[in-house]
Structures are given as C-alpha cells and as structure tokens.
Amino acid sequence: MSLSDIRARIAAAEAAAQRPAGSVQLIAVSKEQPEDRVLPVLEAGHRLFGENRVQEAAGKWPAWRERFGAVDLHLLGPLQSNKARQAMELFQTIHSLDRPKLAQTFARLAQELGQCPQLFVQVNTGAEPQKAGILPEDADRFITVARALDLPVIGVMCIPPVDEDPATHFAQLAEIGARNGLDALSMGMSDDFEVAIAHGATHVRVGSAIFGARR
Ligand SMILES: *Cc1c(COP(=O)(O)O)cnc(C)c1O
C-alpha cells in the first residue's frame, strides 16, 4: 500500500508550487479494486474515495461505511439521468456534470430531496468525441445555466487526452475555473498529479498508484 508515498509526493508538489500544505485533497479511486486492497487504505484512516459507477459503488460502500463510519464519496464517471437520484443519495460530490439535461435533473431532485451534492462541471478540454464533458467554448455559458438553477457548482474537472501533454489541458481548465470564479479544480491522476498540482489542482484523483493496476 503506497498511500503514504502518494501523500508525501503531494506534499512535495504543494511545497514546490509554493502552495499551502494540505491545499490538495487526495481522492483515492477505488473503482474495480478488490476489497483486500481497499481495506488497508480505510484502516490507515483515509476517508475520501472516488468511484466511477453508481451501481458498483452502491454495492460496496454501504457495508464499508457501516464498518468504518462516514466516508466522503465522489462520483467521477459519466452519469445517466435515470441514476441521478441514487447518485445524489450516495455521493457527497459529483465531478461529471456535463450537460444541460443532467443539470435540470439535479435541480428538480435537489428540490425533492432537500439536498444536492457539490458539483464539478466536467470540461472536455481535448474536444474528444468519445469523451464526456462540455466543450471548452461552451463552458462559461453552461456554468451560468447551472448556477441559475441554484446548483452548488464548486469547480471544474477534466481528463486530458492520453496522448497529449496534460499540462496544456490543466492550464486551460485552471483558466476556465478562474474566469468563472470557481476555486476547485479536479485534475490529475496517477501519472500526472504532480503536474496538475503545479497548475493549481485542488482535488487529485489517484487510483492505480495507490491500489495497484486494475484488472
Ligand atoms: C479511473 C479514474 C481515475 C484514476 O485513474 P488512475 O490512473 O488509476 O489514477 C481518475 N479519474 C477518473 C475520472 C477515472 O475514471
């Protein structure tokens, strides 16, 4: 288990970027990981986890929460509108607000449930056709729409294209956040979280570097 290694690397990256210690939150991405890899991280006291799929998370986390107490759960993957209610009940934060219809669904359910998770708007910075996210040129307008619906949008999120220098994408996301007055930046994964921290990431999403490769 290399949770402590990753923590140390985050601390070093914060210091190198002259950012305050503790300004970056580590989301341990436990999707597709077997229980014997996740339990040591829970036992080490970590309480911030990320998952990709509502169904998978709903099958694992209620029991782990019963055993370990409150766990801050973040949804990182694309969300279908028909799973929105379940997601809002399971997750404290959702990183994949990526279209007007989903914003409307969240707004309606928030009224009904009397609560809404914190939201990140996912931006498709590489404009990749197969990838979720709002296009960069549509981001400002979409953020305005989501705010007009009274949704608790706290930041923006991106997943850079695998074959490109992530730094450009992190810089672009930081700019979108800044010009919209959004402080939270969800960016950086196992291979590039230090670069993301240099560009202002507040939430890094690290899976395989903590738990090992997914099968
Ligand atoms: C799987 C996943 C991660 C973690 O990826 P690693 O390369 O294992 O760190 C981060 N963010 C999202 C959106 C993911 O789907």
Side-chain angles (χ1 to χ4, degrees):
M1 202 252 297
S2 48
L3 179 67
S4 51
D5 297 348
I6 301 299
R7 288 197 171 293
R9 284 171 58 188
I10 289 173
E14 286 170 340
Q18 298 182 319
R19 298 181 52 191
S23 52
V24 177
Q25 299 202 45
L26 171 58
I27 303 172
V29 183
S30 48
K31 66 178 184 200
E32 296 167 43
Q33 296 288 355
E35 182 169 41
D36 63 350
R37 291 183 181 176
V38 179
L39 291 186
V41 175
L42 280 161
E43 277 155 7
H46 197 75
R47 290 294 180 269
L48 173 53
F49 289 83
E51 289 282 343
N52 238 28
R53 293 166 182 273
V54 178
Q55 230 46 55
E56 184 190 339
K60 302 188 295 193
W61 282 100
W64 288 342
R65 276 176 162 160
E66 199 140 294
R67 186 161 157 200
F68 291 96
V71 171
D72 190 4
L73 266 192
H74 290 219
L75 179 65
L76 311 176
L79 179 60
Q80 294 168 274
S81 294
N82 63 2
K83 300 237 174 74
R85 175 192 295 271
Q86 195 183 5
M88 290 170 81
E89 289 170 341
L90 188 60
F91 293 95
Q92 280 65 53
T93 306
I94 294 176
H95 292 235
S96 48
L97 173 55
D98 61 356
R99 59 194 191 279
K101 182 172 180 241
L102 186 58
Q104 281 157 15
T105 302
F106 281 150
R108 177 173 51 78
L109 290 170
Q111 289 288 320
E112 211 182 301
L113 300 169
Q115 55 161 46
C116 187
Q118 296 194 304
L119 300 170
F120 284 83
V121 168
Q122 182 173 353
V123 183
N124 186 356
T125 56
E128 296 173 280
Q130 81 284 8
K131 203 168 268 178
I134 208 94
L135 290 171
E137 62 265 34
D138 298 332
D140 296 359
R141 197 173 29 175
F142 180 63
I143 291 164
T144 305
V145 166
R147 283 174 157 161
L149 290 168
D150 268 340
L151 294 177
V153 177
I154 62 162
V156 283
M157 175 271 215
C158 77
I159 309 170
V162 283
D163 51 358
E164 288 181 29
D165 178 6
T168 323
H169 295 272
F170 296 154
Q172 190 187 1
L173 192 73
E175 197 182 300
I176 292 169
R179 72 173 182 244
N180 286 282
L182 293 171
D183 296 331
L185 295 174
S186 167
M187 54 191 200
M189 313 193 343
S190 289
D191 290 336
D192 54 22
F193 67 87
E194 284 140 321
V195 181
I197 291 169
H199 284 86
T202 58
H203 295 67
V204 294
R205 313 178 307 260
V206 181
S208 44
I210 295 173
F211 298 106
R214 289 177 291 276
R215 293 143 318 161

